[in-house]
Amino acid sequence: MAEARPRVWVSQPLFDDIVGRLDEWFEVDAAREVTAWSPDQVAAKLRDADGAVVTLNEHIGAGEITGATRLRAVANVGVGYDNLDVAALEARGIVATNTPDVLTETTADMAFALLMAAARRVTEGERWLREGRWRQWSFDTLLGGDVHGSTLGILGMGRIGQGIARRGAFGFGMRVLYHNRSRLPVGIESNCRAAWVDFDTLLRESDHLVLVLPYSPATHHVIDSAALAKMKPTATLTNIARGGLVDEAALADALANGRLASAALDVFEGEPAVAPKLLALRNVVLTPHVGSASLATRRAMATLAVDNLVAALGRGPDAGRPPTPITGATTAKR
Ligand code: GLV
């Protein structure tokens, strides 16, 4: 009798042609529409699966995998993987993978789009114009801060941070400072024309601070009221990493009180919910977690996730060697 084909669950719609490649080896249960799965529903899906392709929407922890006795691989579509309890997966011998590299440049582009929108008040101006408030050109309408020649601060200098640094240094003539737990090799620093500084110096000296570090209990609310108080009142803050890095109530207060010029947020602590205080402010750019959302990059991410799952389940040309495994929850870099 033929051996039963492994079963895989794909939690959200990706690209049909890319997900369709799984049919060659597996019985595929692929979501047909965007779904907010409850933890119990995730657990039920995993109970029947040998492998899964999941997104940041699905938390996969000890609770979700308790009954998943067949589960051998979880392929996350995304570079950040704070939705996975990697230690719990590792303890069960379940391979976890993510999608680094393929989204680096696209996400760095978006960070710059947000930074510039915050600095030059792009969305604020658009809203004002659409409200019919533009009566006549005037000299002091919507004065913002310069980007070129200013100081760019990067908190979290992984691959995306380095992409942002290169854009700032070589595209806009910015002085680039960064803070990371560990200093990068000098060769990488000079490629990005970036200098390591301590966290307080980064806060004090940045005209435009961008957050690109992984979220974990250790980085929860790394930008809180004390950190915001150290920033220049003319500075901008851009977050393209994870919402939990920022104390949103403290940020809203700082923006409302003129303690900070403006902010741009692509990620939120309780997304898709956005704090009403932030929604009410004009000096904050808000986008719905679309940092890597170019068509080409989203296709590359889906392709890599599928390649990872196929290989982790011992099929295809890379059988047993998934291209981008996650190794160690606390040490992996974005
Ligand atoms: C998206 O946020 C990602 O981590 O890829």
Side-chain angles (χ1 to χ4, degrees), residues 56 77-81 99 103 240-242 267 289 292 301 334:
L56 58 84
V77 190
V79 65
Y81 49 82
T99 61
L103 47 56
I240 53 155
R242 287 292 181 268
V267 286
H289 202 149
S292 61
M301 291 165 68
R334 308 196 111 226

Side-chain angles (χ1 to χ4, degrees), residues 86-111:
V86 178
L89 292 169
E90 272 177 356
R92 283 272 314 277
I94 298 166
V95 175
T97 66
N98 67 339
T99 61
D101 301 322
V102 292
L103 47 56
T104 299
E105 300 301 329
T106 297
T107 309
D109 284 350
M110 185 65 182

Side-chain angles (χ1 to χ4, degrees), residues 62-327:
E64 285 79 11
I65 61 172
T66 303
T69 51
R70 315 160 53 111
L71 190 66
R72 285 184 287 137
V74 173
N76 204 42
V77 190
V79 65
Y81 49 82
D82 48 297
N83 57 313
L84 306 184
D85 182 340
V86 178
L89 292 169
E90 272 177 356
R92 283 272 314 277
I94 298 166
V95 175
T97 66
N98 67 339
T99 61
D101 301 322
V102 292
L103 47 56
T104 299
E105 300 301 329
T106 297
T107 309
D109 284 350
M110 185 65 182
F112 241 88
L114 290 171
L115 181 165
M116 296 195 72
R120 296 301 305 276
R121 306 175 65 177
V122 173
T123 55
E124 188 181 351
E126 199 209 7
R127 183 169 167 188
W128 184 79
L129 180 153
R130 286 181 190 273
E131 287 168 353
R133 296 167 65 177
W134 191 21
R135 301 276 177 245
Q136 182 183 321
W137 185 88
S138 76
F139 198 59
D140 60 354
T141 300
L142 290 164
L143 300 179
D146 271 324
V147 174
H148 73 274
S150 65
T151 297
L152 171 62
I154 300 173
L155 186 57
M157 194 67 156
R159 287 162 281 214
I160 298 170
Q162 290 165 36
I164 297 166
R166 287 193 305 273
R167 282 162 177 74
F170 300 108
F172 292 85
M174 298 169 92
R175 168 185 177 229
V176 182
L177 305 177
Y178 76 94
H179 180 74
N180 226 25
R181 265 177 314 182
S182 46
R183 205 181 143 169
L184 296 175
V186 284
I188 297 182
E189 285 187 347
S190 71
N191 278 344
C192 305
R193 233 159 57 194
W196 186 92
V197 291
D198 62 46
F199 182 47
D200 276 9
T201 305
L202 189 80
L203 294 171
R204 271 199 315 272
E205 303 225 347
S206 298
D207 293 309
H208 305 290
L209 178 62
V210 184
L211 309 183
V212 214
L213 70 170
Y215 178 71
S216 71
T219 59
H220 178 74
H221 287 189
V222 63
I223 301 297
D224 57 8
S225 56
L228 290 163
K230 291 176 186 152
M231 293 179 69
K232 299 180 187 181
T234 49
T236 73
L237 174 73
T238 295
N239 186 7
I240 53 155
R242 287 292 181 268
L245 296 169
V246 176
D247 177 341
E248 290 173 353
L251 175 63
D253 283 348
L255 291 167
N257 300 335
R259 264 299 307 135
L260 194 70
S262 55
L265 306 174
D266 186 46
V267 286
F268 304 89
E269 195 159 12
E271 61 185 56
V274 177
K277 271 181 154 180
L278 288 173
L279 286 171
L281 288 166
R282 287 178 178 265
N283 54 343
V284 57
V285 179
L286 305 169
T287 51
H289 202 149
V290 289
S292 61
S294 75
L295 177 60
T297 290
R298 285 287 161 88
R299 285 190 63 82
M301 291 165 68
T303 301
L304 181 53
V306 163
D307 288 348
N308 272 323
L309 189 73
V310 169
L313 292 178
R315 304 294 196 275
D318 295 324
R321 287 176 290 111
T324 51
I326 297 168
T327 49

